[in-house]
Amino acid sequence: MYFYEELSADAEEYGRRGAEVVSIGKSGQGRDIICFGVGSGDKAIISTAGMHARECVSALVVKKQLEYALEHEPKCRQYFIPLVNPDGAEIVKEGLATGDRRKQLWKANAAGVDPNVNFDANWGTGKCNTFVAGSENYVGKKPFSEEESAVIARFTEQCGARLMLSYHTAGRELYWYFFQTRNYERDFEIAAYVEKTLKYKYKRIDGDCASAGGYKDWCVQKLGIPAFTIELGEGRHPLRAEDIAEDIALNEKLVSKLEKYI
């Protein structure tokens, strides 16, 4: 897994190695949402992880991508945000320490809102979206009611993002579609490339709207940029580092390989 303590230590190390390290905002409980920037230019790719608390192991993929960027000069600006939901991750950490299975499976933030259904993109219309606070799927009182989703949205708008990756677990699936028409062929082309590059049978799921109001949904609908939710690994939540070892290796160079599309 990967928690706020590890992120704080990494911030110092990667700063020494040349990454720009900034807090793009605070979580609901006041923890920094840390972003690492590498490269230059007015166009950017964002790679994020740890949106869902029990899936914070996904941060290890983004961390590996950051290390690759530091060793190879990017052709554009690349941003890496390993832990979008640090408060929720701490709940999972406590659950692992105490054996509390409910906390181990926690997806939401500390307020019981799922940040990945709190974006302004068909908010609250998903079949699995709920309207009561809890460990998962609660959409919140309104779009961007939560610091975590508001911070990420604001940064995405301001940084010149032209493509976004959001890492989750599990199932080795690729979500890319959210009712786009004008950009359908472009986004489908990139999705097919990602599928081929990762060498998995990623499912190109065409939006039956089981869930809505996600980060990927908002990027596609409001910003008009290609955006992808990538589900890593297979197995029972919460996954461990060894469960996604193959995924870490396959995704290491993906951000740099996608530069040609922006």
Side-chain angles (χ1 to χ4, degrees):
M1 301 298 284
Y2 187 87
F3 302 108
Y4 192 70
E5 183 178 354
E6 288 86 353
L7 176 60
S8 299
D10 284 342
E12 291 189 21
E13 176 189 350
Y14 293 131
R16 288 193 298 267
R17 292 175 58 181
E20 178 187 1
V21 184
V22 297
S23 171
I24 59 173
K26 301 283 188 179
S27 68
Q29 292 187 334
R31 293 182 175 89
D32 288 308
I33 299 176
I34 296 175
C35 176
F36 302 92
V38 183
S40 60
D42 59 355
K43 296 180 181 179
I45 297 175
I46 299 179
S47 184
T48 71
M51 178 80 74
H52 284 148
R54 71 185 186 191
E55 301 166 19
C56 59
V57 70
S58 60
L60 298 178
V61 168
V62 173
K63 179 179 174 179
K64 193 67 172 179
Q65 292 174 336
L66 168 60
E67 292 173 351
Y68 182 85
L70 287 170
E71 295 169 0
H72 301 81
E73 186 175 350
K75 297 178 182 178
C76 71
R77 189 70 166 159
Q78 296 181 6
Y79 291 107
F80 303 92
I81 306 173
L83 200 55
V84 174
N85 180 11
D87 299 347
E90 290 302 300
I91 293 174
V92 173
K93 184 179 180 180
E94 181 182 348
L96 292 170
T98 62
D100 186 331
R101 186 65 178 160
R102 179 174 179 271
K103 289 185 177 180
Q104 291 175 15
L105 296 178
W106 194 270
K107 289 178 68 176
N109 66 6
V113 179
D114 184 336
N116 206 42
V117 294
N118 189 237
F119 288 78
D120 186 16
N122 293 19
W123 175 82
T125 64
K127 297 175 184 176
C128 296
N129 294 160
T130 66
F131 297 88
V132 178
S135 64
E136 59 184 309
N137 300 329
Y138 173 44
V139 300
K141 294 181 179 179
K142 62 180 180 179
F144 301 125
S145 62
E146 305 310 296
E147 294 295 332
E148 295 84 2
S149 55
V151 164
I152 292 296
R154 182 168 60 249
F155 178 76
T156 305
E157 287 185 299
Q158 294 174 351
C159 78
R162 296 294 184 272
L163 190 148
M164 187 281 291
L165 303 175
S166 180
Y167 284 98
H168 292 249
T169 63
R172 293 191 171 125
E173 296 175 334
L174 171 66
Y175 295 80
W176 64 276
Y177 178 81
F178 197 70
F179 311 109
Q180 63 265 55
T181 54
R182 180 168 54 90
N183 297 318
Y184 181 93
E185 292 183 0
R186 178 201 67 186
D187 295 354
F188 180 83
E189 178 186 354
I190 303 172
Y193 176 79
V194 172
E195 180 183 56
K196 180 180 178 180
T197 300
L198 297 180
K199 300 178 183 177
Y200 285 118
K201 286 189 176 180
Y202 276 69
K203 298 178 182 178
R204 304 171 190 173
I205 297 176
D206 271 6
D208 61 359
C209 209
S211 185
Y215 182 28
K216 177 266 296 177
D217 306 336
W218 177 79
C219 286
V220 168
Q221 186 179 87
K222 302 298 184 181
L223 302 186
I225 65 173
F228 306 92
T229 297
I230 300 175
E231 302 277 357
L232 305 164
E234 293 177 324
R236 187 184 184 199
H237 289 297
L239 270 62
R240 302 160 298 173
E242 52 265 39
D243 297 321
I244 64 165
E246 183 178 6
D247 304 81
I248 293 171
L250 287 172
N251 282 273
E252 177 183 8
K253 302 177 184 178
L254 184 60
V255 175
S256 294
K257 287 182 176 181
L258 292 174
E259 288 179 323
K260 63 185 178 181
Y261 288 106
I262 70 169

